[in-house]
Amino acid sequence: MTAISRDALLAKLHEVVGAEHVLTDEQSTRRFRKGHRTGDGRVLAVVRPATLLEQWQVLQAAVAADRIVIMQAANTGLTGGSTPDGDDYDREIVLISTLRITGVQLINDGQQVVCLPGATLDLLEQVLAPLGREPHSVIGSSCIGASVLGGVCNNSGGALVRRGPAYTELALYAQVQEDGTLALVNHLGIELGDSPEEILTRLQKGDYSPQQVANDGAGKASDARYGEHVREVDANTPARFNADPSRLFEASGSAGKLCLFAVRLDTYPKEPSSVFYIGSNDPHDLTEVRRHLLTHLPRLPIAGEYIHRTAFDIGEKYGKDTFLVIDRFGTARVPAAFALKSRVDGFFERFGLRGVTDRVIQAVMNLLPSHLPPRMREYRDRYEHHLLVRVSNDTLEATRAFLTEYFGSRDSGAFFECDAEEGRKAFLHRFAIAGAAIRYREAHRDSVEDIVALDIALRRNDRDWVETLPSEMEGQIIHKLYYGHFFCHVFHQDYIVRKGVDPLDMEHRMWALLDARRAEYPAEHNVGHLYIAKPTLASFYRELDPTNAFNPGIGHTSKKKHWGDCCGGH
C-alpha cells in the first residue's frame, strides 16, 4: 500500500524542514488535527514548512510515499474541512500546516495582492491599511485568524454585500495527476520561470517586475458580478452558495483538493461609512428594509447583519471573552490565544477533563458587567429581531430618509444611528456570537448533547425567512441561535441540542426542512465533513484530484484511493 516506510518518510520530512517542525505525538499535534468546532483524527505527522520550496518538497515526499495530504492554514473552519475526520482512511495522513509561510505582496499599486499560504486576513488588513484599501473580507473570520487562502478554497462569503464570495481565477497550485505524478501549475499571471524550484523561490522573494505581471486576459481576481446579482430580490434562487458551479474554478472552492502556494486577489478602497441599528418585532419590517436598500440606493449597502434576540443573549454572555480580547488587543492576538487554549485543553484531556479552559474563562466572564452599549441593550429588551446596516456615507442621507419615513408610520420597530463606538461594538458583538454556542456547550456539558450548526442560503425572493420548526424538534432544542448576512439572505443557525438527542439525526431532519424551502446549504463555510457534497461539487473535487490524494472524504465522498467505488457523490 505504501511506497516507503513510516520511518523513511519521517526521516525525509526531518531533512526538509528540521525535526522540530515535524510533530508526531498526540499532544503537539492536537491543535492541528482537532477542528475549531468539529473534526478529529489521527495523523502520521504534522509538518510545518517555512518556505514555499519546503512546502513543495514536503508535498513531493508525501505523494511519493503514497500518503494522504491534508493542507491546513489557520484551522478556523466550522465544518471540519481541514482536519482528519475519524480513523477510517486507507492511508496514513500527513497534515501540512502553512502558518509559517506568511507573506503579502502588493502588485498593481496595491489594487491587487499576492498572498502566500500562511497570510491571514488580519495581516492583509494591516498591509493594506496605509494605502486606504482593504481585502475582500474584513472583521469576521479575521477575528479568529482565518487565512486568505482558506477563504478562497472554501467559498467563504463574508459580510460585505458588494463583494460576494471570495473568488479568484489566478492561483499557483500543485495537483496530483491521474497517473499519480505531481505537477505545479502557475496560473497567477506572473512570469516566474519554468521549474518548480525557480518559480517558488522567486515568488517567495517577490523577485519579479511589474512588467512580468499580466493584467489583460490574465483572469479575474474577484467576483465582479455579485453586486448586480444580489440586487435581484425577486429571483427564485439564492444569491450565493457553496456548490454554485459558476463560482468553482481551480483554487476557488477547491476545499483542499489542490495544494495552494499563492493566490492573487483584488483589493478595495476603504470608504467612510455609518451604521444604523434597527430593531423590530415584525420580521416583515426587516424584509422591507432589505428589499428597499438593495434596489433603491444608488450604491449597495456595505453590510447588513441580522441577530435574533436569543443569539444576542447567548453572544453577550458566552462570547464576551472573544469580544473583549478583540476590543482591547485587536484581531492579531486571537490566533495565539486560541493556540494557548488548545494546549491547555490538551493537557487536561489527558486526565479525562474536557473543556477546562471554557469553564474557567466563563466563570470569570460571568463576574464582569455587560460590555455592550446601553442603546443596544435597550433594543434587546424591546425587540426580537435586530439588523445592523452599514452604508457608505455617500448613501447616508438616502438611507436615513427611508428609515425615518418607514418607521415613522409604524410602532412595530425603530432605529437609531450609531456613533462610531456603538457601530464598531455592534458589529463586533455580531461576530462574537459565531463562537458563543461552542462555549455554551462546554460550559453546560451535563445538559447539552452537542450543537447542530447550519449555514444556509435562502432564495432571494423568500419573504418567509423566519424558521418554524415542528413542535417535536422544538422540544429537543435548548436554544436556537439565528444570525447572518441578511442582505445576501445567508443565515447561520446554531441549535443547542438537549442531552440524549441524536444530533446527526436532528441535522438530517433539518436538511429535509431546508429542502422543502428550496434553500441551499452550506452557503459559505464549505461542506467540510458535515454536509454532503452535491453531485456538481463532488464532480469538481474529482476533476481536481483524480487519485483522491488530497483531503479525501470531504463532503461525505470516498476516503479511498482513486475514490474506491465512489462515483464522486455520497
Side-chain angles (χ1 to χ4, degrees):
M1 184 179 70
T2 56
I4 64 173
S5 71
R6 174 184 299 191
D7 288 344
L9 176 56
L10 290 175
K12 177 63 177 174
L13 297 175
H14 288 174
E15 179 187 323
V16 174
V17 302
E20 69 272 29
H21 297 298
V22 180
L23 313 177
T24 56
D25 65 276
E26 273 198 35
Q27 182 71 6
S28 63
T29 61
R30 180 188 183 277
R31 72 185 180 99
F32 301 95
R33 58 181 170 76
K34 187 176 178 63
H36 174 61
R37 178 179 276 181
T38 186
D40 195 0
R42 288 195 296 266
V43 296
L44 168 62
V46 172
V47 189
R48 304 178 66 235
T51 67
L52 296 177
L53 185 56
E54 284 185 7
Q55 181 177 318
W56 170 253
Q57 291 168 338
V58 168
L59 187 64
Q60 282 182 307
V63 169
D66 197 26
R67 264 50 171 210
I68 286 168
V69 173
I70 295 179
M71 301 300 304
Q72 183 187 95
N75 192 16
T76 60
L78 300 180
T79 59
S82 59
T83 60
D85 185 66
D87 297 317
D88 56 341
Y89 295 87
D90 62 351
R91 293 148 289 166
E92 292 176 313
I93 294 170
V94 174
L95 191 155
I96 302 177
S97 170
T98 63
L99 283 180
R100 296 177 67 210
I101 314 176
T102 58
V104 173
Q105 300 171 4
L106 300 172
I107 59 175
N108 294 331
D109 299 319
Q111 294 183 55
Q112 290 187 327
V113 288
V114 174
C115 293
L116 303 190
T120 62
L121 281 169
D122 182 74
L123 172 64
L124 181 53
E125 280 190 71
Q126 292 178 43
V127 170
L128 292 174
L131 304 179
R133 300 186 72 83
E134 60 187 15
H136 165 272
S137 297
V138 295
I139 194 167
S141 296
S142 52
C143 289
I144 51 175
S147 72
V148 177
L149 272 67
V152 171
C153 286
N154 294 316
N155 300 106
S156 296
L160 302 180
V161 181
R162 300 173 181 175
R163 299 178 194 173
Y167 179 82
T168 187
E169 297 169 2
L170 304 171
L172 174 65
Y173 60 87
Q175 184 173 35
V176 177
Q177 312 287 305
E178 188 81 53
D179 62 1
T181 58
L182 190 64
L184 186 70
V185 180
N186 181 9
H187 286 170
L188 275 177
I190 302 174
E191 295 176 25
L192 293 165
D194 299 315
S195 71
E197 292 74 17
E198 182 185 8
I199 291 169
L200 296 170
T201 302
R202 286 182 57 189
L203 180 61
Q204 183 99 42
K205 294 178 179 178
D207 180 17
Y208 53 89
S209 67
Q211 292 71 36
Q212 290 170 309
V213 177
N215 290 308
D216 295 337
K220 298 181 178 67
S222 64
D223 181 6
R225 304 163 298 162
Y226 188 75
E228 288 308 310
H229 188 69
V230 76
R231 282 191 186 272
E232 296 169 2
V233 295
D234 291 314
N236 201 29
T237 55
R240 54 179 165 95
F241 58 98
N242 191 263
D244 183 350
S246 70
R247 297 188 177 95
L248 300 175
F249 187 90
E250 296 180 355
S252 295
S254 58
K257 302 303 284 183
L258 299 171
C259 174
L260 298 194
F261 290 86
V263 296
R264 177 175 162 186
L265 296 165
D266 289 332
T267 69
Y268 303 86
K270 189 169 186 176
E271 298 184 65
S273 63
S274 300
V275 174
F276 292 92
Y277 197 105
I278 300 167
S280 178
N281 290 314
D282 183 353
H284 173 76
D285 287 341
L286 302 195
T287 298
E288 292 306 305
V289 169
R290 171 181 173 266
R291 291 176 64 87
H292 179 90
L293 295 185
L294 286 180
T295 58
H296 286 77
L297 285 187
R299 297 180 68 212
L300 283 169
I302 292 173
E305 293 294 296
Y306 171 74
I307 306 173
H308 183 266
R309 179 187 275 154
T310 303
F312 185 110
D313 291 345
I314 299 292
E316 181 181 18
K317 183 172 183 179
Y318 296 94
K320 183 183 291 187
D321 57 308
T322 299
F323 182 105
L324 292 177
V325 168
I326 297 169
D327 189 39
R328 303 289 169 84
F329 304 112
T331 58
R333 300 288 183 89
V334 177
F338 270 85
L340 175 62
K341 179 181 180 298
S342 180
R343 284 194 292 272
V344 174
D345 279 337
F347 172 80
F348 282 106
E349 282 179 9
R350 288 187 291 175
F351 304 101
L353 300 171
R354 279 196 60 176
V356 170
T357 58
D358 284 289
R359 288 195 293 274
V360 170
I361 292 169
Q362 195 55 48
V364 174
M365 291 300 108
N366 290 344
L367 300 175
L368 301 179
S370 175
H371 51 287
L372 298 179
R375 284 203 287 184
M376 282 179 61
R377 289 203 44 76
E378 179 199 346
Y379 267 48
R380 178 260 167 233
D381 293 339
R382 289 170 57 189
Y383 301 114
E384 180 181 1
H385 305 284
H386 299 238
L387 180 62
L388 323 178
V389 178
R390 182 181 294 277
V391 297
S392 51
N393 284 349
D394 58 359
T395 62
L396 174 61
E397 292 296 337
T399 306
R400 183 190 293 131
F402 166 71
L403 293 176
T404 300
E405 179 183 359
Y406 183 84
F407 287 107
S409 60
R410 50 186 45 80
D411 57 11
S412 53
F415 77 96
F416 65 87
E417 196 168 332
C418 297
D419 62 30
E421 185 79 349
E422 287 173 324
R424 184 179 64 81
K425 287 188 172 181
F427 273 87
L428 182 49
H429 177 54
R430 154 63 186 89
F431 292 113
I433 289 170
I438 302 171
R439 169 63 52 73
Y440 186 100
R441 178 187 65 189
E442 297 306 322
H444 298 276
R445 275 285 175 186
D446 55 338
S447 59
V448 175
E449 186 66 35
D450 209 342
I451 300 163
V452 172
L454 297 178
D455 163 36
I456 71 165
L458 298 182
R459 292 166 293 143
R460 285 167 282 174
N461 66 349
D462 194 343
R463 294 172 181 263
D464 298 322
W465 52 272
V466 177
E467 182 176 67
T468 303
L469 294 176
S471 57
E472 177 206 357
M473 294 177 73
E474 287 278 5
Q476 297 175 330
I477 297 169
I478 301 171
H479 291 298
K480 301 173 296 183
L481 278 66
Y482 297 112
Y483 55 100
H485 313 308
F486 189 67
F487 289 159
C488 301
H489 251 201
V490 166
F491 293 86
H492 303 297
Q493 302 182 173
D494 296 343
Y495 306 91
I496 301 173
V497 179
R498 294 187 186 280
K499 201 75 172 176
V501 176
D502 180 353
L504 189 59
D505 175 67
M506 169 77 75
E507 183 164 7
H508 291 170
R509 284 184 286 157
M510 293 284 187
W511 290 352
L513 296 175
L514 292 172
D515 290 341
R517 297 172 70 188
R518 288 185 290 163
E520 289 281 356
Y521 52 91
E524 62 176 8
H525 284 160
N526 208 285
V527 289
H529 289 283
L530 293 184
Y531 298 93
I532 295 171
K534 295 188 175 179
T536 300
L537 188 59
S539 296
F540 177 64
Y541 293 159
R542 191 163 185 175
E543 280 175 34
L544 296 180
D545 183 20
T547 70
N548 210 15
F550 292 142
N551 209 10
I554 198 83
H556 291 235
T557 56
S558 172
K559 292 182 176 178
K560 307 298 182 186
K561 186 176 180 180
H562 294 294
W563 299 85
D565 297 328
C566 178
C567 59
H570 182 46

